Amino acid sequence: MDVDHLDLFYKVLQKLSYSCPLCGAPLYVTNYGNYEAILHCSSDEARFWNFERGTQEQIAAKQHWDQSRKELFLTKEDITEYLQGNEPV
């Protein structure tokens, strides 16, 4: 993947509007590169790192985090299509 594509990929990722299937909160990019992006829930209920380790609250939050995960695989063609007004699935 060339650098221009990675920059463009990141810009497109910032504009996508996916929501958590569990609570409806926006998803945000937690990792990206090499045509792939991973998104997770942005809600307080999914922030497992804010809870004391090993508690039921932390376990529930980690499950929320894991279940909200969405993987995107975007090619240059997908990005071009998005820029023309069609959001990728």
Side-chain angles (χ1 to χ4, degrees):
M1 174 186 297
D2 55 40
V3 176
D4 290 337
H5 176 74
L6 193 57
D7 290 340
L8 186 55
F9 183 45
Y10 184 72
K11 288 177 184 175
V12 168
L13 287 174
Q14 298 308 307
K15 294 181 181 187
L16 295 178
S17 57
Y18 292 103
S19 57
C20 177
L22 302 174
C23 70
L27 297 182
Y28 72 101
V29 178
T30 57
N31 192 9
Y32 77 98
N34 204 23
Y35 298 101
E36 177 182 8
I38 299 172
L39 295 86
H40 284 96
C41 181
S42 64
S43 74
D44 289 339
E45 292 83 17
R47 295 179 185 181
F48 62 93
W49 56 88
N50 287 341
F51 297 97
E52 195 161 325
R53 183 170 245 165
T55 62
Q56 286 300 323
E57 292 85 2
Q58 187 206 31
I59 293 167
K62 180 65 166 85
Q63 288 173 343
H64 188 132
W65 172 264
D66 290 342
Q67 292 172 0
S68 73
R69 178 184 173 114
K70 178 164 182 68
E71 295 181 16
L72 295 176
F73 299 93
L74 299 176
T75 64
K76 288 182 183 183
E77 293 78 22
D78 292 330
I79 291 172
T80 301
E81 187 174 314
Y82 172 79
L83 294 173
Q84 293 172 349
N86 303 314
E87 191 162 305
V89 284

